Each structure stands twice: as structure tokens, then as C-alpha cells.
Amino acid sequence: MAEVTAVRPLTGAALTNALDDVGRLRIQVFRAWPYLYDGDIDYERKYLQSYRDSDKAVVVGAFDGDRLFGASTGAPLTDHADDFAAAFEGSGLDLTDIFYCAESVLLPDYRGQGVGHKFFGLREAHARKLGYRKCAFCSVQRPPAHPMQPDNYRPLDTFWRARGYEPLPGVIAQFLWKDVGEEGETAKRLQFWMRDL
């Protein structure tokens, strides 16, 4: 198992400087189940632009020396309103109260050392400092009999519930990306989970 030497929040210039590495990690880690994401760095740069543009965004970086081997992003949900506002229609929730914990990507050799908890803890601390009352994230929903699901796959629901998150009934977004083996982008269902801070 490789060694985790630091997990720390990055903002401002440090965040901006890390985003290409975050994009490369997303491409590598999200190629696996359940995301099956067939990405490229140009798409990543466009996708991650909202973190460059937001003065309230955070990247939590996990390092082995100077090497970034894991990252977790967060920003106000209103920074992603174009993508997710429709999912919250009729929920009674105010998007301005919610900090969005987006992806967490971690290379396999570094898993099982508590980095996932640090990713959530540091993003939640950042959100509290900014005055947010709730944190949310979303998980991709795949059909139960999907042919690419590995036999040993274990969903992260238990981990998320242990951190105080619960699924928001009916709050499901649609997001487009290209799956491994597909010709083009298709819509994926993303279930929102949330907790009070």
C-alpha cells in the first residue's frame, strides 16, 4: 500500500494549479464502475472551469510527497445551478443553503487509509466556514443487472450514511457523459444525498 503524506484543502491559486491533475485523476478513476466514464482532458478543463470561477470553491488534495494521487471538489450548489436546479424543483429546498460536494477520486493503491473521510470532513469544514447549512452530493444510478458491474462491487451507501448523509427522495438529476464502449454521450441518473451541517 502506498503512503499518504498529506490531505489538505486547496483554494485560490493552489486550486487553479491543481485542476489539470484533478482532471487526469477523474479520467483514470471514473473509467471504472459505476461511472464507466470515457473522458478526455479538454472535456475536463471545461467541466472544472466552474471551480476556477468560484471564489468559494475548494479542492481537497491527497498527496504522496508532491504527487497528487486523490482529490475531492466542492463549491456552492448555486455554482452548478444550470446542471442541477431542475432536480430540486418541488423539493422545498433553497439552493443557496447547500454546499455541493462533487467528486472524490482516489487511486486504488491509496484506498483504505481514511482519505475518504478526510475528503468529506475538510469539505464540510470549508462549507461551515462559509456559512452553509447543508452539504449534498450525488451518486450515479446504474441498472441492477448492468453487464459491466463487477461481481465484487460494494456500493458506498454504508459509508455515506455513517457520515450522516441520506438520499433525498425524488431529487434526481440527469447528466450527460460518454461511457466506455459508447459512441457518444448518454444521460445518466444521479441521486442526490444530503446532510445538515
Side-chain angles (χ1 to χ4, degrees), residues 77-100:
L77 188 59
T78 51
D79 288 356
H80 300 272
D82 290 347
D83 296 325
F84 295 134
F88 282 85
E89 281 180 15
S91 70
L93 293 164
D94 184 347
L95 269 59
T96 62
D97 289 338
I98 303 170
F99 191 82
Y100 176 56

Side-chain angles (χ1 to χ4, degrees), residues 52-133:
R52 288 183 181 88
D53 294 342
S54 175
D55 62 352
K56 295 181 178 177
V58 65
V59 169
V60 177
F63 295 88
D64 182 346
D66 292 333
R67 177 177 173 246
L68 184 75
F69 64 81
S72 192
T73 61
L77 188 59
T78 51
D79 288 356
H80 300 272
D82 290 347
D83 296 325
F84 295 134
F88 282 85
E89 281 180 15
S91 70
L93 293 164
D94 184 347
L95 269 59
T96 62
D97 289 338
I98 303 170
F99 191 82
Y100 176 56
C101 292
E103 55 274 312
S104 290
V105 287
L106 185 63
L107 294 179
D109 287 351
Y110 294 91
R111 294 176 187 166
Q113 299 182 59
V115 176
H117 282 291
K118 289 178 183 175
F119 279 166
F120 270 101
L122 289 168
R123 287 182 299 174
E124 290 162 1
H126 180 80
R128 281 189 198 95
K129 190 168 88 172
L130 293 171
Y132 285 90
R133 298 169 43 201

Side-chain angles (χ1 to χ4, degrees), residues 133-153:
R133 298 169 43 201
K134 299 177 183 297
C135 270
F137 69 90
C138 48
S139 64
V140 65
Q141 304 294 291
R142 293 285 188 177
H146 194 288
M148 293 184 75
Q149 179 174 324
D151 292 337
N152 63 349
Y153 174 67

